[in-house]
Amino acid sequence: MTQINYNSSNVDLLNIEIQLLMEAIFLRYGYDFRNYSKAHIKRRVLHRLVLSNLSSVTQLQDMVLRDRGFFNEFLDDLSINVTEMFRDPEFYKSLRENIIPKLRTYAYFKIWHAGCSTGEEVYSLAILLKEEGLLDRCQVYATDFNRKVLSTAKEGVYQKNEIEQYERNYQLSGGLHKLSDYYKSRYGSIIFDKELSNKIVFADHNLVIDKVFADVNLILCRNVLIYFEKNLQDNVIGLFYESLVPSGILCLGTKESIKFSRHENFFEAIDTKQKIYKKKIG
Amino acid sequence: MYKAIVIGTSYGGLEALKTLLPKLGSGFPLPVIVVLHIGEHNNETFLTYMDSICTLSVKEAESHEKINPGYVYFAPPNYHLLIESDFTFSLTTDHKHNFSRPSIDILFESAAWVYTHRLIGVVLTGANSDGAQGLKMIKDFGGMSIVQDPNSALSPAMPRAALKIAKPEYQLNLEDIAVKLIEFAFKRK
């Protein structure tokens, strides 16, 4: 097996080569990871070196630049697609109790689920909306920059092995029925009812390089900002601010916050613990 | 001169940390960064309690937070904790490693890249083998490696795995680990 060319004596070299690799990817393919958390990128790059039996990031860069198929594989390495249904049940509980009543006041509303990954949390949201009788009144945009995960999300077919955990999460989140009411089992997989995805548009959108999405009433973007450096995080929160209607709602991950961001004062907290914020009027 | 201490522990870790951390008194010059496997639940109560018995300030590590001496930082449940080159924290929801999130290996490896030989790694009681590879990397990078004596650990599996794989400089009971940490922390060279 190839020995990786980095150790305690050339840590700087690794950092430099990774920076060059990110620049190369941006120039060649337009994906911008230059302001992502360096520690996260480093971990993923080193992991790829071992998997592909490469000894340096420069070798990796050569392959990434010349081989689109290999780049697509590496793109999967860089995006985190670990998710689950009703992840953080307390968040969904708060959404149901504190935000649904606000949405109910609109005749029609739009939701943007940014960084939806393989879609488990989008279906969770759709189930919640259906139970509250609001699914017919809304349009959900579910976006991600990774087309592979988007197509999984669109299909709504998932492995059955996590289903007990999902059922537990659903109950803890204040679900009104049984999760199994919303899917059919087939050959170790579960398939969500088409009725749930009828109102969802799955679209390719990159938070780092693409523009404002639409005039939306609610944005969910959970466990995405943790991968961004401070400035990029600020820019994306700005993008959300622009996208929201006045009094629109922004939901972040449990360990994310608008605290210390440039836009801190443009939002007020609705649930500090679950990181649910409201855009101030004016 | 050392710059930081990373500690990893799982089963029995709560008790072990209750013994170890209060011994690091005021003026202790290094930040202490801990991964304790405690499941996916909220650890607020535990952090408040630890803070009340320690001289150092005990808190949960936050995304982008600057790492400072005088603090004991705990990885939040269900997130991996990473260290950035500018000495701030990053969190990831990446796959579990050794069935664990946070994983000790992931913290240790990430810290080794940043602190290299200026890092002290400590593996305490626990029922799996998380931390062994990370401690080996700290040692390979010239840092200091310490493992709790398995005979003194509530659950000896994790210290044993670390001893076997990392072959650490020290194998000590909790009281002696505290003494060693204080000794190393104040060393000038």
Side-chain angles (χ1 to χ4, degrees):
Chain A
M1 208 177 109
T2 316
Q3 189 70 33
I4 290 179
N5 276 340
Y6 304 100
N7 52 52
S8 53
S9 67
N10 61 10
V11 173
D12 289 353
L13 198 60
L14 174 63
N15 294 336
I16 290 168
E17 285 180 65
I18 289 176
Q19 197 179 330
L20 293 173
L21 172 66
M22 295 304 121
E23 199 67 45
I25 287 173
F26 179 63
L27 292 172
R28 183 84 170 98
Y29 300 107
Y31 287 94
D32 193 351
F33 292 99
R34 295 175 299 175
N35 297 303
Y36 269 55
S37 146
K38 302 278 186 289
H40 156 67
I41 297 283
K42 191 189 298 170
R43 216 174 96 67
R44 283 332 190 89
V45 166
L46 290 167
H47 182 65
R48 175 46 61 185
L49 292 184
V50 174
L51 281 185
S52 297
N53 216 11
L54 300 166
S55 64
S56 76
V57 182
T58 305
Q59 272 187 2
L60 175 68
Q61 177 174 317
D62 195 48
M63 287 177 68
V64 161
L65 283 177
R66 282 159 214 282
D67 183 345
R68 174 84 208 203
F70 181 79
F71 168 69
N72 285 340
E73 247 180 82
F74 183 56
L75 199 59
D76 277 349
D77 294 343
L78 294 181
S79 64
I80 300 276
N81 295 307
V82 179
T83 175
E84 59 190 74
M85 294 208 66
F86 294 94
R87 164 153 75 178
D88 306 318
E90 283 175 23
F91 162 73
Y92 285 92
K93 200 166 186 191
S94 181
L95 195 63
R96 196 186 281 264
E97 285 165 8
N98 299 313
I99 306 307
I100 291 294
K102 292 185 200 300
L103 295 177
R104 217 182 279 289
T105 62
Y106 298 108
Y108 181 80
F109 56 90
K110 293 194 272 188
I111 300 177
W112 178 16
H113 200 308
C116 70
S117 188
T118 41
E120 285 86 338
E121 292 176 74
V122 190
Y123 286 95
S124 308
L125 175 70
I127 288 169
L128 198 163
L129 289 166
K130 182 169 161 52
E131 291 186 355
E132 297 296 329
L134 293 176
L135 192 58
D136 293 333
R137 272 203 244 165
C138 74
Q139 174 74 64
V140 181
Y141 302 100
T143 65
D144 205 284
F145 74 79
N146 184 330
R147 283 175 210 158
K148 200 164 124 190
V149 298
L150 268 182
S151 76
T152 305
K154 216 175 282 183
E155 282 173 17
V157 179
Y158 302 100
Q159 294 298 310
K160 211 173 175 176
N161 48 0
E162 306 276 354
I163 200 70
E164 278 170 34
Q165 169 77 32
Y166 294 174
E167 181 71 58
R168 209 162 39 239
N169 284 355
Y170 168 74
Q171 294 303 335
L172 286 171
S173 80
L176 301 181
H177 307 290
K178 283 191 310 224
L179 190 57
S180 55
D181 293 346
Y182 299 100
Y183 64 80
K184 290 183 185 62
S185 298
R186 199 174 295 164
Y187 310 119
S189 295
I190 57 167
I191 305 164
F192 278 99
D193 296 344
K194 280 290 162 228
E195 191 200 347
L196 292 174
S197 53
N198 273 346
K199 292 290 180 165
I200 308 171
V201 174
F202 292 95
D204 182 355
H205 181 276
N206 191 323
L207 285 172
V208 185
I209 47 183
D210 292 334
K211 298 262 182 296
V212 173
F213 203 74
D215 270 336
V216 289
N217 305 79
L218 167 66
I219 294 177
L220 292 94
C221 182
R222 310 185 65 234
N223 295 309
V224 175
L225 296 185
I226 46 172
Y227 299 103
F228 296 167
E229 286 181 346
K230 201 89 192 74
N231 272 337
L232 177 56
Q233 192 176 309
D234 270 0
N235 291 346
V236 173
I237 291 174
L239 184 74
F240 292 153
Y241 180 79
E242 299 282 315
S243 301
L244 283 169
V245 299
S247 299
I249 305 295
L250 173 63
C251 303
L252 301 177
T254 321
K255 301 299 171 194
E256 296 165 331
S257 171
I258 56 157
K259 211 169 68 179
F260 309 125
S261 91
R262 283 201 300 271
H263 298 85
E264 182 177 3
N265 296 325
F266 300 127
F267 288 94
E268 60 183 282
I270 288 184
D271 184 334
T272 331
K273 201 152 172 237
Q274 298 306 326
K275 306 295 154 65
I276 301 177
Y277 304 94
K278 183 169 97 173
K279 177 177 171 173
K280 287 184 185 169
I281 298 167
Chain B
M1 208 169 96
Y2 292 104
K3 293 275 192 198
I5 296 171
V6 286
I7 299 176
T9 180
S10 95
Y11 186 75
L14 205 73
E15 289 303 315
L17 291 169
K18 266 158 54 180
T19 307
L20 177 62
L21 295 178
K23 295 198 161 59
L24 310 177
S26 67
F28 188 77
L30 305 182
V32 180
I33 307 163
V34 186
V35 164
L36 165 66
H37 300 155
I38 53 166
E40 296 187 3
H41 300 288
N42 210 318
N43 58 350
E44 239 168 75
T45 325
F46 153 73
L47 287 174
T48 313
Y49 172 73
M50 277 310 255
D51 190 53
S52 74
I53 61 165
C54 288
T55 317
L56 297 170
S57 302
V58 177
K59 72 183 294 296
E60 190 170 277
E62 293 177 58
S63 178
H64 298 107
E65 182 176 11
K66 185 97 188 133
I67 301 167
N68 284 315
Y71 285 90
V72 179
Y73 301 96
F74 278 83
N78 221 7
Y79 288 80
H80 292 303
L81 182 62
L82 305 178
I83 315 285
E84 298 286 346
S85 310
D86 62 355
F87 309 108
T88 58
F89 289 117
S90 271
L91 303 175
T92 96
T93 57
D94 213 339
H95 288 284
K96 288 184 179 178
H97 181 77
N98 298 325
F99 309 101
S100 310
R101 186 171 51 220
S103 146
I104 301 165
D105 278 344
I106 289 179
L107 169 68
F108 280 18
E109 286 168 13
S110 160
W113 282 112
V114 172
Y115 293 106
T116 60
H117 63 287
R118 297 171 188 275
L119 180 65
I120 302 172
V122 185
V123 172
L124 304 177
T125 168
N128 58 25
S129 64
D130 195 18
Q133 288 297 343
L135 193 69
K136 179 177 188 303
M137 180 162 162
I138 291 174
K139 195 187 170 206
D140 289 348
F141 274 32
M144 182 56 63
S145 49
I146 302 174
V147 170
Q148 183 179 5
D149 182 351
N151 299 318
S152 76
L154 195 61
S155 178
M158 209 152 90
R160 276 201 192 117
L163 287 174
K164 191 172 161 217
I165 289 167
K167 303 191 175 49
E169 268 93 353
Y170 294 95
Q171 173 184 338
L172 304 166
N173 65 34
L174 291 172
E175 282 71 21
D176 293 333
I177 290 176
V179 172
K180 252 317 157 215
L181 290 180
I182 293 165
E183 189 183 306
F184 284 133
F186 286 96
K187 265 206 164 79
R188 287 198 160 268
K189 276 200 164 181

